[in-house]
Amino acid sequence: MLRSSWCLRASALAFFVAVPFAVLPSSGAFAHCYVGARFFPATLAVDDPCVADELSLPTVSWSKTGDVPPANEWDVSAELSKRITEDFGISIGDTWTQIHQPGSPTLAGFSNLETTLQYQLLKDNTHELAMLLGLIVDWGGTGATNSGIGRSYSTLTPTYYFGKGFGDLLDDAGWLRAFAVTGQIGYQIPTTSYDLMQNTFNPQVLVYGGSVQYSMPYLKSEIQDYQLPDFINHLIPIVEAKFQTPVANNFGNSFVTTGMVNPGVIWVGSSFQVGLEATVPVNRASGTGVGFLGQVHLYLDDMFPSTIGQPLLGSNTTTAARKISF
């Protein structure tokens, strides 16, 4: 089982990386998550509301669990997103986890392989509004089930995403127009209601969250240039939050909501971004103390605009790639 799960993971990653190089259209397309003049960065805890060609490598987090005594948990993950058409995309990702609790053996291994299908419902440039539908699949048996990191069953999570910039406010709103919000809400459904390995019921879970962000690049390019240092003009201060609430099939398990609130900042470049956030648990069940979350994120559509940064099918030949203005 362990060898087969590693083979499945390696095959899936190899296929997903190789396919973009097999089809090399030469036309232009919009870069990452632009809606009118608004750029939504790739957020660290929740997803942005656009299909895109992107690579998160790596995303690293450290936190302390809510166990007694608390365990130190490290997570290192990678995710590749690829547009199939202008409005349809797919992503694949995986996470390596290490958990060390004093007095107990260290647990380490990969979680289950995760894929997401996404369809762009709407991009309203005038109102800086984006909507996206997704289906997240966590593939059971592809992770380190023997160490308790992976799970033996799969989960399906239909998810709705949105993003709204406030650039359409009246000009009198001034600097307030640089604010934006994003959000997501999903319903996680396990493929089996009972986990034989853990001898527990598998609950259905409401997964939801969002972000409030302030775009310094938008402030400079669309509202007023205050002649701030160049480093400041690349920043997007942000507060993210993500929660999980068990809602059904939860016999014998807790209905307590768990989650994190993450204040931080994203530095945005022309072809990549770097983000760093603190992770603050909302209750003891979510963890203890303050951890951190960091990410390096690459914009493949800006790095390789005529090759792997293009949709595989039906790319738009009439629009050139957009760049972030600083």
Side-chain angles (χ1 to χ4, degrees), residues 39-206:
F39 168 66
F40 291 101
T43 41
L44 281 66
V46 297
D47 208 350
D48 63 77
C50 296
V51 294
D53 298 292
E54 301 172 330
L55 175 63
S56 297
L57 182 69
T59 301
V60 179
S61 67
W62 174 85
S63 61
K64 286 191 173 184
T65 68
D67 301 310
V68 181
N72 291 301
E73 178 174 338
W74 284 93
D75 295 305
V76 181
S77 64
E79 182 180 31
L80 176 65
S81 299
K82 186 77 193 80
R83 289 178 297 170
I84 307 303
T85 70
E86 287 287 348
D87 295 321
F88 177 71
I90 185 172
S91 68
I92 184 169
D94 209 345
T95 301
W96 179 84
T97 296
Q98 182 187 80
I99 300 174
H100 176 70
Q101 185 177 29
S104 299
T106 297
L107 303 178
F110 283 98
S111 63
N112 289 343
L113 194 69
E114 182 180 280
T115 59
T116 304
L117 300 176
Q118 294 182 325
Y119 179 74
Q120 194 76 57
L121 284 177
L122 173 71
K123 277 190 176 182
D124 184 336
N125 293 335
T126 301
H127 298 290
E128 299 178 354
L129 175 64
M131 297 183 186
L132 181 75
L133 281 182
L135 176 62
I136 304 170
V137 182
D138 187 85
W139 296 93
T142 59
T145 55
N146 57 328
S147 65
I149 303 297
R151 293 178 293 193
S152 60
Y153 59 92
S154 300
T155 59
L156 307 175
T157 311
T159 305
Y160 166 76
Y161 310 82
F162 73 89
K164 176 69 176 77
F166 296 123
D168 57 349
L169 294 177
L170 296 177
D171 289 344
D172 291 344
W175 58 270
L176 293 174
R177 295 168 54 221
F179 273 106
V181 296
T182 67
Q184 68 179 67
I185 182 168
Y187 195 83
Q188 185 181 90
I189 306 168
T191 54
T192 180
S193 60
Y194 191 79
D195 188 344
L196 293 174
M197 295 184 65
Q198 300 294 328
N199 197 30
T200 59
F201 286 94
N202 301 322
Q204 298 177 16
V205 180
L206 189 67

